[in-house]
């Protein structure tokens, strides 16, 4: 019988290693796809590196504490946003909680091919608890790619206390 090959473009948002092999998590809660059944491109290699590192070290790296230690929640977000426009995935991951670390690596890739700037940014902590906080930011990220300009509005960010530091842990 003849073998049929279909080409589809899918967005991977996560990666994991298991006893069954390597798996890509698909966007939109579409499930998981075996990595050996795909051809990957784009930032899939970054996802794989982050996933492999997390599999080997499931807890947050101790280096994280130096980047975020002693910072107020709104300052963590300002630094996270600055690292994002610079495409500095290492800094973003140091400022992120362990659950957000892979997303930080993905976000670092998002503006690398563009010229990006923070514009009119102001952040303030609007809610604080013992282990969580919410930060609201106004302003936007302005990008330019191939002569096209775009503005990305800033919004609300979730912060979690891990160890001795506040860490970026979600949007919205």
């Amino acid at each position: 019988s003849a073998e049929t090959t279909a080409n589809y473009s899918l967005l991977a948002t996560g990666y994991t290693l298991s006893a069954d092999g390597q798996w890509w998590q698909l966007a939109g809660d579409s499930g998981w796809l075996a990595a050996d059944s795909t051809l990957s491109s784009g930032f899939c290699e970054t996802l794989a590196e982050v996933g492999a590192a997390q599999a080997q070290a499931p807890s947050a790296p101790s280096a994280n504490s130096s980047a975020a230690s002693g910072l107020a929640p709104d300052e963590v977000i300002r630094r996270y946003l600055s690292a994002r426009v610079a495409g500095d995935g290492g800094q973003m991951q140091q400022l992120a909680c362990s659950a957000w670390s892979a997303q930080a690596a993905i976000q670092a890739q998002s503006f690398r091919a563009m010229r990006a700037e923070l514009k009119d940014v102001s952040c303030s902590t609007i809610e604080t608890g013992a282990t969580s906080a919410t930060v609201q930011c106004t302003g936007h990220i302005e990008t330019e790619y191939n002569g096209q300009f775009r503005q990305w509005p800033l919004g609300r960010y979730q912060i979690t206390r891990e160890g001795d530091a506040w860490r970026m842990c979600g949007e919205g």
Side-chain angles (χ1 to χ4, degrees):
S1 72
E3 185 176 315
T4 304
T5 302
N7 292 320
Y8 298 97
S9 292
L10 302 169
L11 177 62
T13 59
Y15 173 88
T16 192
L17 295 171
S18 72
D20 302 8
Q22 301 173 3
W23 297 85
W24 296 113
Q25 183 178 25
L26 303 178
D29 295 326
S30 297
W32 292 83
L33 183 65
D36 63 359
S37 67
T38 66
L39 295 174
S40 62
S41 65
F43 59 79
C44 288
E45 291 73 26
T46 300
L47 280 174
E49 290 170 12
V50 170
Q54 286 180 336
Q56 293 170 3
S59 61
S62 60
N64 279 2
S65 60
S66 64
S69 184
L71 297 178
D74 57 324
E75 183 60 26
V76 170
I77 294 302
R78 275 195 288 275
R79 290 185 184 196
Y80 184 90
L81 293 170
S82 293
R84 185 172 182 190
V85 299
D88 186 346
Q91 178 71 8
M92 290 172 69
Q93 287 183 295
Q94 288 180 7
L95 293 165
C97 70
S98 57
W100 190 259
S101 183
Q103 185 64 29
I106 292 167
Q107 287 184 339
Q109 295 290 325
S110 66
F111 294 132
R112 276 204 181 138
M114 306 178 207
R115 185 188 59 77
E117 289 182 64
L118 286 173
K119 297 283 191 166
D120 304 319
V121 175
S122 176
C123 296
S124 60
T125 304
I126 59 173
E127 195 175 312
T128 306
T131 60
S132 65
T134 303
V135 173
Q136 178 70 45
C137 295
T138 58
H140 61 274
I141 297 172
E142 184 174 281
T143 59
E144 182 207 348
Y145 183 72
N146 287 337
Q148 299 289 325
F149 290 89
R150 183 166 178 191
Q151 291 184 354
W152 307 80
L154 302 176
R156 202 169 273 207
Y157 303 91
Q158 302 305 313
I159 306 291
T160 299
R161 189 162 243 344
E162 281 187 0
D164 65 344
W166 291 106
R167 305 207 187 274
M168 162 65 167
C169 211
E171 298 177 348

